[in-house]
Amino acid sequence: MSRVNYANLLTFSRFITAPVYVWALWRHSPGWALGSMGYAALADFLDGWVARNICCTSDLGEVLDAAGDVFIFLTGILAGAFFGYVSWWPVAVLLSGGAVSAWGRMLYARKVGRAANYKSRPSEFLGGAAFALLLVYAVDFYTEYHTWVLALFTWWVAVRDVREIAALPPGQEVE
Amino acid sequence: MEHVFAYLMRFHHVGVEPAWRTDFWLVALSYNLMAIVFYGRRLIGDIRQRKAGNDSRPVNDAITAWKMGLLMFVLGWIPLIYHAVTHVMG
């Protein structure tokens, strides 16, 4: 199957929202920031739906989807700290938890022997909350509080997921 | 304790018009209510799967995850209520 398909194009279009979001934070334009993240959320929903119901689920699509989430979130949160919407401390704690989580997922991909993302309910919650964090940055809405809460949960989930992944026998995938 | 609360609840005054926050409060409220519906459906699905014995996760994933999700959700409401009391109604 071709790597260029509607689902992957939608996923790829999400990458473009990150520079728009950064520009919006720089220019203090909440409308553009909220709009760009609104599109990112819509495309995130649609690419999965298109892949499952119309065409083309693939390992590449799955990895691209996860990479898109990480890219948008990482760019957004760093821009938030850089432009003064939040202080660096909670951001550093949050990103270090994210790094542990990413390491766990690399461990999982190695265990199952292919480029697969480890999906767990807690990490799904974090995805929704991370998206909300970029929304609260857009309007400077209790950013310090939200970032600390998400940072603590990120560490909790990272440790939990890594323990689960470590307990899996080699080759076993979790659906 | 007061200092911690003040630190957590401060605004950064980076140039965002305060009116945006009041409008956004409604967006945040809607987002939370949508989350109840979206994750509520997932929870029902997880409970059904578990009852049917199809929970393949190694460490009782679904149910403990939901306790965590609930705590996260409750914490998410604190600034919403705080903003309602201090800015929307106040």
Side-chain angles (χ1 to χ4, degrees):
Chain A
M1 183 182 292
S2 169
R3 290 182 174 190
V4 181
N5 55 52
Y6 291 121
N8 285 352
L9 282 174
L10 267 170
T11 307
F12 193 73
S13 73
R14 285 199 289 135
F15 283 80
I16 300 162
T17 60
V20 175
Y21 181 80
V22 172
W23 174 83
L25 287 194
W26 174 49
R27 302 294 303 165
H28 310 302
S29 301
W32 277 96
L34 293 172
S36 62
M37 284 306 106
Y39 174 77
L42 186 69
D44 192 20
F45 170 77
L46 282 178
D47 62 3
W49 188 87
V50 168
R52 280 189 301 273
N53 296 294
I54 299 180
C55 67
C56 45
T57 52
S58 65
D59 283 354
L60 175 70
E62 199 177 317
V63 171
L64 206 60
D65 188 44
D69 290 342
V70 171
F71 178 70
I72 291 168
F73 182 63
L74 201 60
T75 311
I77 195 169
L78 286 173
F82 185 78
F83 293 120
Y85 285 75
V86 64
S87 57
W88 282 101
W89 269 111
V91 169
V93 175
L94 174 56
L95 294 185
S96 57
V100 172
S101 181
W103 172 73
R105 274 153 180 80
M106 280 166 59
L107 205 66
Y108 177 69
R110 201 177 299 165
K111 272 197 169 187
V112 300
R114 69 181 185 92
N117 185 24
Y118 181 77
K119 290 173 180 166
S120 66
R121 276 286 181 271
S123 61
E124 197 183 322
F125 291 142
L126 278 184
F131 171 70
L133 190 67
L134 296 184
L135 296 184
V136 301
Y137 280 10
V139 289
D140 185 19
F141 191 80
Y142 308 105
T143 55
E144 215 74 35
Y145 174 88
H146 285 107
T147 311
W148 273 114
V149 168
L150 193 66
L152 298 177
F153 274 99
T154 300
W155 266 99
W156 185 359
V157 173
V159 170
R160 195 172 177 278
D161 281 356
V162 167
R163 282 179 62 194
E164 285 190 1
I165 291 165
L168 284 173
Q172 186 187 326
E173 293 199 30
V174 175
E175 293 300 324
Chain B
M1 199 66 192
E2 269 179 46
H3 291 299
V4 173
F5 195 74
Y7 161 75
L8 289 173
M9 293 298 174
R10 70 194 165 129
F11 296 132
H12 289 268
H13 305 293
V14 282
V16 175
E17 292 287 329
W20 271 100
R21 290 195 196 100
T22 311
D23 293 343
F24 181 77
W25 180 81
L26 287 169
V27 175
L29 194 69
S30 312
Y31 187 81
N32 269 266
L33 295 174
M34 265 166 30
I36 291 177
V37 176
F38 181 77
Y39 289 113
R41 286 179 57 194
R42 291 282 169 102
L43 175 60
I44 291 165
D46 276 349
I47 290 170
R48 282 187 183 151
Q49 288 286 316
R50 195 173 161 75
K51 277 185 178 169
N54 295 333
D55 195 348
S56 65
R57 293 188 176 276
V59 195
N60 193 15
D61 178 80
I63 302 303
T64 30
W66 281 107
K67 290 176 189 164
M68 192 200 88
L70 187 66
L71 177 60
M72 203 174 188
F73 190 78
V74 169
L75 288 173
W77 273 87
I78 291 174
L80 273 177
I81 295 166
Y82 177 76
H83 194 76
V85 172
T86 55
H87 291 81
V88 180
M89 290 185 274

